[in-house]
Amino acid sequence: MNLAGFLATPATATATRHEMPLNPSSSASFLLSSLRRSLVASLRKASPAAAAALSPMASASTVAAENGAAKAAAEKQQQQPVQVAKRLEKFKTTIFTQMSMLAIKHGAINLGQGFPNFDGPDFVKEAAIQAINAGKNQYARGYGVPELNSAIAERFLKDSGLQVDPEKEVTVTSGCTEAIAATILGLINPGDEVILFAPFYDSYEATLSMAGANVKAITLRPPDFSVPLEELKAAVSKNTRAIMINTPHNPTGKMFTREELEFIATLCKENDVLLFADEVYDKLAFEADHISMASIPGMYERTVTMNSLGKTFSLTGWKIGWAIAPPHLTWGVRQAHSFLTFATCTPMQAAAAAALRAPDSYYEELRRDYGAKKSLLVNGLKDAGFIVYPSSGTYFVMVDHTPFGFDNDIEFCEYLIREVGVVAIPPSVFYLNPEDGKNLVRFTFCKDDETLRAAVERMKTKLRKK
């Protein structure tokens, strides 16, 4: 199946050893045979004649019939249409899952999904091991273990200048994606209007759909992806409940400027609108210092700030996130969190507390290392023939693929995987109107230097302008 086919396929669960076997008919036959052998063994003790009647040699026709029935049942199961609630039926398997699967299938270098191919720091992993050995392995307190809540509050004070109560204003979640879900499901009602900036992380729209919200999108356009301020102002209505921002911004690498943040803050205060701020890339700011929206005067009381451990410490599989908000907003976030995951992995929370207390030198080295990786990829993409747009933060770079003559991003990414052996993300899936993103492609540079160089060399060698 090609990429276009993947994008047209509804989401399906990946089979595990506990789910449907790879060959349903053969597995069903094996199961029937095993049951028959057990039954025959039991009957031999009670009734030799009955056992003989059920022996494999005496019942070949019966086995054949059973095999046919099993095959028919398996085929019928495969023909059943997938079932999904109407609020999610427009969404497909996430693009990140699709691209990672295609990377494996074609042996391509994966510069698509934003996870590092190198490990996190030893001192954080050691802290996790110590916590496990110390017996910190049962349910944690629902909104976070005290030492992590305190570490989050300390880090937020250092980064934003805002002092928050770790017991009343910090909620630990299973990754920032859950913080996003708990915030939306806990604070947004059906029919509420929420404004996003496109392109956007695909979880935003899906979760808003689950909440029954109405989504408006303001498109950020190249080359600088600046906020169209007057268009945003016109979009705010009496039904607007919240504006959601992501800075530094995935997938463009844009950092919202102070002028943009203050303009958005004014709109929120004038129209009594909440602000949801996804700041998971706050430590990957290259061109300017990150500004937390909650630090803008008058905004803390209406802002939920969401963040996580994974991007900063290269531990994306740990899924440790958090939401910081004043008590009257934290109540809704915690109510939703209680019925989503209830609690987050206990020993990893202890390790996360150790991570957040890392010296400033750790963050300086992180930015320096990623800055070098960014330069390596950006220069390589330019040499390969792409139009490369500025990336001020995150570990993503957005490019224009049109010099290579393809009609849209999906066609180009399919070619890139199949013929060049490199995976990128087609960002049209991050827009309400896919046409807005059809000329763009997103690459990530959160990979080791050898991987980045190999990917660049493949593109320089095999891509040709048209």
Side-chain angles (χ1 to χ4, degrees):
M1 182 182 293
N2 61 19
L3 179 55
F6 261 119
L7 292 173
T9 303
T12 55
T14 303
T16 71
R17 60 182 178 176
H18 302 298
E19 296 171 345
M20 184 185 294
L22 293 177
N23 188 335
S25 60
S26 63
S27 296
S29 299
F30 176 79
L31 181 59
L32 287 168
S33 299
S34 298
L35 290 171
R36 179 177 297 282
R37 285 194 295 271
S38 297
L39 181 59
V40 168
S42 299
L43 286 175
R44 280 197 182 107
K45 297 179 181 179
S47 173
L54 280 172
S55 68
M57 292 182 62
S59 56
S61 60
T62 304
V63 172
E66 288 171 344
N67 285 346
K71 183 176 181 180
E75 290 175 351
K76 181 178 180 181
Q77 185 177 30
Q78 291 175 348
Q79 292 169 1
Q80 290 293 321
V82 296
Q83 297 186 32
V84 65
K86 289 186 180 299
R87 59 183 172 271
L88 289 175
E89 64 185 1
K90 68 169 281 189
F91 301 100
K92 315 301 178 187
T93 305
T94 73
I95 191 65
F96 309 109
T97 299
Q98 294 166 26
M99 302 311 292
S100 293
M101 289 168 61
L102 288 171
I104 294 168
K105 178 180 178 181
H106 292 278
I109 297 172
N110 193 347
L111 300 189
Q113 191 170 3
F115 61 86
N117 68 342
F118 45 84
D119 214 354
D122 289 340
F123 79 94
V124 185
K125 293 183 291 182
E126 266 313 308
I129 293 168
Q130 290 174 15
I132 291 169
N133 290 336
K136 297 179 179 180
N137 300 304
Q138 306 309 321
Y139 287 131
R141 187 177 65 171
Y143 59 90
V145 301
E147 60 183 311
L148 178 54
N149 288 58
S150 295
I152 292 167
E154 291 166 14
R155 188 74 243 176
F156 195 59
L157 174 61
K158 185 175 286 190
D159 292 342
S160 69
L162 295 171
Q163 188 156 11
V164 299
D165 185 336
E167 293 299 299
K168 297 179 179 178
E169 299 175 287
V170 176
T171 305
V172 175
T173 60
S174 296
C176 190
T177 299
E178 198 226 331
I180 292 164
T183 297
I184 289 172
L185 296 173
L187 296 172
I188 297 298
N189 290 308
D192 283 348
E193 186 177 272
V194 178
I195 296 176
L196 306 178
F197 293 97
F200 45 75
Y201 176 43
D202 58 357
S203 171
Y204 300 166
E205 185 188 4
T207 309
L208 287 167
S209 178
M210 287 188 244
N214 297 321
V215 178
K216 280 186 178 178
I218 302 298
T219 300
L220 309 178
R221 302 184 186 280
D224 59 0
F225 299 99
S226 60
V227 177
L229 300 179
E230 293 306 313
E231 183 182 343
L232 172 61
K233 183 177 181 179
V236 176
S237 73
K238 60 181 176 56
N239 297 319
T240 304
R241 169 68 168 162
I243 297 173
M244 188 155 194
I245 68 168
N246 172 211
T247 183
H249 184 254
N250 172 20
T252 66
K254 169 195 170 51
M255 291 183 66
F256 282 62
T257 66
R258 181 170 290 277
E259 177 191 7
E260 290 170 336
L261 294 176
E262 290 178 344
F263 187 91
I264 295 168
T266 298
L267 287 177
C268 289
K269 288 181 283 188
E270 289 179 348
N271 296 277
D272 193 23
V273 169
L274 299 178
L275 194 288
F276 302 155
D278 175 354
E279 300 184 1
V280 293
Y281 299 100
D282 63 333
K283 297 298 182 293
L284 296 175
F286 305 110
E287 311 298 334
D289 291 335
H290 168 74
I291 302 170
S292 182
M293 179 55 110
S295 69
I296 301 294
M299 282 304 293
Y300 180 73
E301 289 302 308
R302 60 179 68 251
T303 299
V304 180
T305 304
M306 297 162 285
N307 211 321
S308 76
L309 188 79
K311 306 298 189 293
T312 305
F313 290 92
S314 303
L315 296 165
T316 58
W318 284 20
K319 298 297 288 178
I320 302 292
W322 55 87
I324 301 172
H328 67 282
L329 298 180
T330 290
W331 174 252
V333 174
R334 287 185 179 179
Q335 285 296 93
H337 166 67
S338 295
F339 298 104
L340 286 170
T341 61
F342 173 67
T344 297
C345 181
T346 305
M348 300 312 180
Q349 289 194 58
L356 291 178
R357 293 188 171 112
D360 289 343
S361 59
Y362 172 81
Y363 300 102
E364 292 163 4
E365 184 178 355
L366 180 78
R367 282 190 292 271
R368 185 168 58 249
D369 289 350
Y370 269 118
K373 293 179 186 298
K374 185 181 90 163
S375 295
L376 195 164
L377 180 60
V378 165
N379 292 334
L381 291 170
K382 288 178 179 177
D383 290 344
F386 291 98
I387 300 168
V388 182
Y389 296 119
S391 174
S392 300
T394 75
Y395 42 49
F396 302 114
V397 175
M398 197 81 102
V399 303
D400 186 324
H401 67 79
T402 55
F404 302 104
F406 290 85
D407 289 338
N408 58 62
D409 56 330
I410 293 174
E411 284 185 15
F412 175 78
C413 285
E414 183 180 41
Y415 174 86
L416 192 68
I417 294 171
R418 188 180 64 247
E419 303 298 334
V420 181
V422 175
V423 178
I425 293 291
S428 59
V429 297
F430 303 144
Y431 293 81
L432 288 186
N433 177 13
E435 285 290 304
D436 289 339
K438 70 176 185 177
N439 294 336
L440 303 173
V441 171
R442 191 197 80 175
F443 290 94
T444 184
F445 51 88
C446 60
K447 311 295 176 183
D448 61 64
D449 291 358
E450 182 181 356
T451 298
L452 293 172
R453 289 193 184 97
V456 164
E457 189 58 34
R458 288 187 184 186
M459 289 186 282
K460 287 166 64 175
T461 302
K462 297 182 179 180
L463 282 175
R464 293 288 180 270
K465 290 185 177 181
K466 293 182 181 179

